């Protein structure tokens, strides 16, 4: 994400220097490197959502269970994808550590926040981004609660 406090975009710093050249120059040491996931653009988010929707559709068609609703969880060595699909077809997706517990309770709490602060909001339209401060505040509270032990006991 950046070197010595200068933001990076791809292989170039904001001051137009090539990142590999900065790292190769000994006079720049010591170097402070900030790692992280790059922020997704709106188009990238739409593309990921479309791919996820397609995976769920394929999963429901390939499932040996009749009338399957699609993927509920997908586990790899490094992460586990969990999905809760509502009766109206809205999907809540969480990516967790494979050892994370009480994810079903978290998904249900997220659905409660969605139904209380988005669906009951007269200014919210389905399939549109949720822009409601109460939703954001309560969503943040649920996520902070998820980091604490005992979520499944509530």
């Amino acid at each position: 994400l950046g070197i010595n406090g200068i933001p990076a975009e791809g292989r170039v710093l904001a001051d137009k220097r090539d990142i590999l050249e900065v790292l190769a120059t000994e006079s720049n040491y010591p170097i402070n490197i900030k790692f992280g996931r790059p922020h997704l653009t709106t188009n990238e988010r739409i593309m990921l959502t479309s791919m996820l929707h397609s995976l769920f559709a394929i999963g429901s068609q390939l499932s040996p269970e009749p009338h399957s609703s699609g993927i509920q969880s997908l586990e790899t060595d490094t992460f586990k994808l969990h999905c809760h699909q509502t009766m109206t077809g809205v999907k809540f997706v969480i990516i967790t550590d494979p050892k994370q517990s009480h994810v079903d309770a978290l998904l249900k709490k997220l659905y409660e926040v969605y139904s209380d602060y988005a669906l009951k909001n007269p200014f919210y339209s389905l399939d549109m981004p949720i822009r409601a401060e109460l939703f954001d505040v309560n969503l943040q509270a649920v996520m902070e609660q998820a980091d604490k032990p005992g979520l499944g006991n509530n």
Side-chain angles (χ1 to χ4, degrees), residues 64-114:
E65 287 289 319
H67 309 295
S68 172
S69 62
I71 299 170
Q72 291 180 340
S73 66
L74 179 78
E75 190 168 349
T76 70
D77 292 342
T78 56
F79 70 89
K80 189 171 181 179
L81 182 140
H82 304 265
C83 179
H84 172 72
Q85 184 169 337
T86 68
M87 296 299 280
T88 58
V90 175
K91 294 176 185 78
F92 291 87
V93 178
I94 296 178
I95 299 174
T96 66
D97 184 271
K99 299 175 197 126
Q100 180 75 32
S101 62
H102 305 299
V103 176
D104 290 337
L106 175 60
L107 285 165
K108 287 180 179 149
K109 285 189 180 283
L110 291 174
Y111 178 65
E112 287 175 20
V113 169
Y114 171 72

Side-chain angles (χ1 to χ4, degrees), residues 1-4 6 8 19 23 31-39:
L1 296 179
I3 296 179
N4 293 338
I6 302 169
I19 289 175
L23 294 174
I31 290 181
N32 180 0
I33 301 174
K34 182 177 179 185
F35 292 98
R37 293 187 182 119
H39 297 285

Side-chain angles (χ1 to χ4, degrees), residues 127-149:
D127 297 328
M128 294 302 293
I130 302 168
R131 305 211 191 286
E133 187 175 338
L134 277 175
F135 174 78
D136 294 340
V137 167
N138 285 282
L139 180 65
Q140 184 67 36
V142 167
M143 295 311 294
E144 288 172 1
Q145 179 70 26
D147 287 338
K148 298 177 184 173

Side-chain angles (χ1 to χ4, degrees), residues 4 17 21-31:
N4 293 338
R17 292 184 293 164
E21 289 176 13
V22 171
L23 294 174
T25 307
E26 288 186 34
S27 62
N28 292 328
Y29 286 85
I31 290 181

